């Protein structure tokens, strides 16, 4: 393939811009703000799950509390009924009296046990309620952080996009000055090796960083300036510059 030395030198400018575009793309993909945002979002999802679990516990405990209250109330009114019978003197037989007194004693013990249960449920409910408040508080803080991180991420992305847009514009302008067959060879090599063209600097290919042997070097020296050369090692287009010989 033949191409003017000027066109060949343009390939090096193109390679620089492609490297810059590659760096910008990498920066975009590895943006710390994006990772930070994802971590915050993951924490947010955890908090949402925690809150849902706590709300379910709260609703169960509220139901348990109502049941415990009903149980205590039931026993209390039975004790009252029994005591009323006792006080009204309606029980005359000593056997029946003894039974009633023993029932009252057992009901009082039962009431105390049930009140214990009720108290435990209430304590548990308070605990769950405190946890809910704390999780909800963390959620509010995190919502603010997400907004702040999101804004930083968006501004970093916008900056990268702007730089990328400028580099793409410059690349298009340079590509337009390169003959189609040379450009298509460059693009094909770039797809294979990431870098499509490299300078020959002081006998060394800047693509694979290997020094050319004397035979190759003398062949290159003998080649006409418009001949498109390839590195024997990496097959990239080898562009001669003023530093080449
Ligand atoms: Zn090479």
């Amino acid at each position: 393939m033949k191409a003017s030395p000027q066109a060949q030198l343009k390939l090096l400018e193109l390679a620089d811009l492609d490297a810059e575009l590659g760096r910008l793309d990498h920066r975009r993909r590895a943006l710390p703000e994006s990772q930070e945002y994802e971590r915050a979002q993951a924490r947010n999802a955890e908090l949402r799950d925690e809150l849902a679990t706590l709300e379910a516990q709260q609703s169960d405990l509220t139901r348990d509390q109502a049941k415990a209250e009903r149980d205590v109330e039931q026993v209390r009114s039975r004790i009252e009924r029994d005591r009323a019978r006792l006080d009204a003197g309606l029980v005359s037989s000593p056997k029946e009296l003894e039974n009633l007194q023993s029932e009252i004693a057992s009901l009082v013990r039962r009431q105390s046990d049930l009140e214990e249960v009720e108290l435990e449920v209430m304590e548990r409910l308070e605990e769950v309620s405190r946890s809910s408040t704390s999780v909800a508080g963390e959620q509010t803080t995190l919502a603010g952080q997400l907004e702040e991180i999101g804004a930083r991420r968006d501004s970093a992305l916008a900056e990268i996009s702007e730089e990328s847009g400028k580099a793409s514009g410059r690349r298009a302008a340079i590509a337009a000055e390169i003959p189609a067959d040379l450009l298509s060879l460059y693009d094909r090599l770039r797809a294979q090796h990431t870098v499509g063209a490299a300078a020959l600097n002081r006998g060394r290919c800047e693509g694979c960083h290997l020094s050319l042997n004397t035979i190759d070097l003398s062949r290159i020296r003998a080649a006409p300036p418009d001949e498109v050369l390839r590195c024997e090692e990496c097959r990239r287009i080898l562009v001669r510059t003023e530093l080449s010989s």
Side-chain angles (χ1 to χ4, degrees):
M1 191 182 289
K2 299 269 181 192
S4 71
Q6 291 78 10
Q8 293 189 39
L9 282 168
K10 294 262 176 218
L11 286 183
L12 295 181
E13 287 180 54
L14 210 56
D16 282 347
L17 285 166
D18 281 333
E20 191 184 332
L21 284 166
R23 279 193 299 274
L24 287 168
D25 194 44
H26 178 262
R27 235 177 83 195
R28 182 187 292 118
R29 279 183 281 112
L31 203 66
E33 287 86 349
S34 295
Q35 289 161 3
E36 205 183 328
Y37 192 83
E38 275 165 32
R39 279 197 301 275
Q41 257 188 332
R43 179 68 190 137
N44 202 28
E46 273 175 15
L47 291 175
R48 216 170 34 231
D49 289 351
E50 275 178 43
L51 204 59
T53 306
L54 287 168
E55 274 164 7
Q57 285 176 350
Q58 222 163 356
S59 125
D60 286 352
L61 286 165
T62 305
R63 210 187 45 225
D64 290 351
Q65 190 189 16
K67 186 184 177 299
E69 275 170 12
R70 276 197 310 274
D71 290 349
V72 168
E73 196 41 52
Q74 219 172 14
V75 173
R76 193 182 290 136
S77 60
R78 231 180 111 186
I79 293 171
E80 272 170 25
R81 245 190 353 258
D82 284 356
R83 281 196 175 133
R85 279 182 70 203
L86 207 62
D87 294 347
L90 294 171
V91 185
S92 47
S93 118
K95 179 70 186 159
E96 217 184 315
L97 200 64
E98 198 189 316
N99 282 347
L100 195 55
Q101 277 164 339
S102 126
E103 184 182 282
I104 290 171
S106 124
L107 284 170
V108 166
R109 279 196 303 276
R110 174 101 184 105
Q111 183 183 354
S112 149
D113 287 350
L114 286 171
E115 278 168 350
E116 192 76 25
V117 169
E118 190 185 2
L119 201 66
E120 271 169 30
V121 171
M122 279 166 71
E123 279 170 1
R124 183 84 191 95
L125 197 56
E126 267 173 41
E127 202 179 296
V128 168
S129 182
R130 267 199 304 277
S131 300
S132 284
T133 308
S134 132
V135 170
E138 198 184 333
Q139 254 184 337
T140 307
T141 310
L142 197 60
Q145 283 171 347
L146 271 168
E147 206 174 311
E148 182 265 330
I149 299 165
R152 267 197 287 125
R153 178 203 54 191
D154 291 347
S155 108
L157 284 175
E159 193 186 307
I160 293 171
S161 279
E162 199 193 327
E163 284 180 45
S164 185
K166 281 184 196 159
S168 293
R170 285 203 302 276
R171 188 194 193 277
I174 291 164
E177 295 172 36
I178 298 171
D181 55 349
L182 183 63
L183 186 62
S184 112
L185 174 65
Y186 168 85
D187 281 332
R188 207 172 65 237
L189 290 170
R190 189 166 67 92
Q192 286 169 10
H193 309 288
T194 314
V195 179
L200 175 68
N201 278 348
R202 304 181 205 285
R204 194 172 85 137
C205 163
E206 292 298 335
C208 61
H209 303 292
L210 288 175
S211 293
L212 275 68
N213 62 45
T214 27
I215 300 165
D216 286 341
L217 274 178
S218 37
R219 189 176 51 80
I220 283 168
R221 284 203 190 92
D226 64 347
E227 192 175 323
V228 177
L229 302 169
R230 304 278 292 276
C231 170
E232 292 300 327
E233 292 296 334
C234 67
R235 302 305 297 151
R236 291 182 176 101
I237 299 169
L238 204 51
V239 180
R240 284 159 286 180
T241 69
E242 68 272 20
L243 296 172
S244 287
S245 39

